[in-house]
């Protein structure tokens, strides 16, 4: 894949970037202010679907450890389950929503660790900050910003996590470059996201609501691997979760989405300071 990844065929068949960001921001502002989220009521992709956190890979202990209001049931996996977090780590969550994954990460990194959530929706950031108080999470903070332009300095994080958010970006290569910049040497990414397994109908790829609902913006495994590699990551692994069709089928009543997308675990590592892998 050449250096002009930002203008690949993958991007050219997507929705206009400005319209895509507007659709995403409007959807998640509505979720933050007008509903109790998607847990036990809405799915990531269809607000009439049902989707529990247990379906996504969280256990009862994780769900019960976080105060009500943070778990909106918006993801497609459990990034903390693949992040191998350690005490003292600094974790950066891309598209942190109401903060559920951040609060779970805070348990793993302990008081000596730190968790930073970034979200571009002001209403979500406000909700997440309220949840900091509810969870007495003194090592968690939330910042307003786009994941293509992270409001953190170089080498801030040991681990970057994300849950079904990078597919929403109109410039995914830039997201991975920013994640690489924000990581310390030997830091790693641990992402749960949807990947495209078959061509998605054009009507879906260019529909603002479908893009904002985690469907229209999905990329193929090869495309994502190329983006991560070009950003500088090594040891890239993208593992589809075939059983995710169970909840993906609930995202749309009119289309069998599991024929086009699947949830996947996406990991990679930034090389060590000396450049070795």
């Amino acid at each position: 894949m050449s250096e002009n990844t930002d203008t690949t065929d993958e991007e050219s068949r997507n929705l206009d970037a400005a319209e895509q960001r507007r659709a995403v921001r409007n959807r998640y502002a509505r979720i933050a202010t007008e509903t109790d989220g998607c847990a036990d009521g809405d799915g990531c992709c269809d607000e009439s679907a049902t989707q529990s956190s247990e379906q996504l890979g969280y256990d009862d202990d994780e769900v019960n450890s976080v105060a009500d209001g943070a778990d909106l049931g918006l993801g497609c996996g459990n990034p903390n389950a693949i992040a191998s977090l350690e005490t003292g780590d600094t974790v950066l969550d891309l598209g942190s929503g109401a903060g559920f994954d951040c609060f779970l990460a805070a348990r793993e990194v302990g008081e000596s660790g730190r968790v930073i959530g970034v979200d571009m929706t002001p209403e979500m950031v406000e909700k997440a900050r309220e949840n900091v108080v509810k969870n007495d999470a003194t090592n968690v903070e939330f910042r307003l910003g786009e994941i293509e332009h992270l409001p953190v300095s170089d080498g801030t994080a040991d681990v970057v996590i994300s849950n079904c958010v990078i597919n929403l970006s109109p410039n995914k290569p830039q997201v991975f470059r920013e994640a690489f910049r924000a990581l310390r040497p030997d830091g790693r990414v641990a992402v749960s996201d949807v990947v495209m397994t078959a061509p998605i109908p054009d009507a879906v790829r260019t529909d603002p609501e479908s893009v904002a609902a985690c469907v229209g913006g999905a990329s193929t495994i090869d495309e994502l691997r190329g983006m991560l590699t070009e950003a500088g990551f090594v040891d890239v692994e993208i593992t589809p979760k075939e059983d995710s069709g169970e909840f993906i089928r609930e995202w749309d009543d009119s289309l069998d989405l599991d024929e086009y997308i699947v949830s996947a675990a996406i990991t990679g590592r930034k090389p060590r300071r000396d450049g070795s892998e």
Side-chain angles (χ1 to χ4, degrees):
M1 193 174 290
S2 63
E3 294 185 356
N4 66 340
T5 312
D6 291 358
T7 55
T8 59
D9 291 340
E10 189 268 342
E11 180 177 319
S12 66
R13 64 176 181 258
N14 284 345
L15 193 67
D16 170 78
E19 187 176 3
Q20 182 170 340
R21 287 193 177 93
R22 183 163 54 250
V24 170
R25 185 176 286 110
N26 289 343
R27 176 183 174 82
Y28 292 98
R30 184 177 71 247
I31 290 173
T33 59
E34 296 181 5
T35 74
D36 292 326
C38 293
D40 300 324
D42 297 338
C44 180
C45 291
D46 188 317
E47 294 176 25
S48 64
T50 58
Q51 173 175 290
S52 71
S53 294
E54 287 79 3
Q55 282 181 294
L56 302 181
Y58 299 94
D59 59 35
D60 289 340
D61 178 61
E62 289 174 312
V63 173
N64 295 329
S65 70
V66 178
D68 290 345
D71 180 10
L72 301 183
L74 290 169
C76 60
N78 179 359
N80 288 298
I82 59 174
S84 301
L85 299 179
E86 299 178 356
T87 300
D89 277 346
T90 295
V91 180
L92 178 62
D93 185 5
L94 310 188
S96 48
F100 184 52
D101 288 321
C102 289
F103 298 125
L104 292 178
R107 294 198 315 163
E108 300 297 319
V109 302
E111 293 183 2
S112 61
R114 181 185 180 197
V115 182
I116 303 169
V118 175
D119 202 284
M120 74 167 183
T121 307
E123 293 84 354
M124 275 295 184
V125 172
E126 180 180 357
K127 189 177 186 71
R129 288 173 176 168
E130 292 171 354
N131 288 329
V132 167
V133 178
K134 291 182 182 179
N135 287 276
D136 192 26
T138 57
N139 59 343
V140 180
E141 66 173 293
F142 294 96
R143 301 180 183 179
L144 180 66
E146 295 181 347
I147 60 175
E148 298 89 352
H149 308 283
L150 292 169
V152 300
S153 58
D154 296 357
T156 292
D158 298 291
V159 185
V160 169
I161 64 173
S162 187
N163 194 351
C164 214
V165 171
I166 296 177
N167 77 86
L168 300 173
S169 171
N171 192 346
K172 299 173 191 64
Q174 174 66 11
V175 174
F176 290 118
R177 286 195 293 270
E178 277 290 273
F180 188 88
R181 177 189 67 79
L183 282 168
R184 295 167 182 158
D186 208 31
R188 57 202 183 276
V189 292
V191 172
S192 294
D193 216 324
V194 289
V195 297
M196 182 169 61
T197 56
I200 297 172
D202 289 344
V204 175
R205 292 199 70 92
T206 57
D207 175 54
E209 288 303 314
S210 293
V211 171
C214 315
V215 180
S219 301
T220 67
I221 289 176
D222 286 343
E223 287 169 340
L224 287 169
R225 183 178 291 111
M227 295 175 200
L228 282 154
T229 301
E230 284 198 359
F233 289 101
V234 297
D235 300 335
V236 174
E237 294 187 10
I238 302 175
T239 307
K241 300 168 65 175
E242 300 303 334
D243 60 351
S244 62
E246 178 182 346
F247 61 82
I248 287 176
R249 282 191 292 271
E250 299 176 359
W251 288 358
D252 194 304
D253 293 332
S254 61
L255 192 66
D256 291 329
L257 292 176
D258 62 317
E259 295 182 2
Y260 306 101
I261 59 175
V262 65
S263 177
I266 302 167
T267 58
R269 186 171 56 81
K270 183 173 182 174
R272 300 179 182 90
R273 192 177 301 278
D274 61 6
S276 65
E277 298 185 1

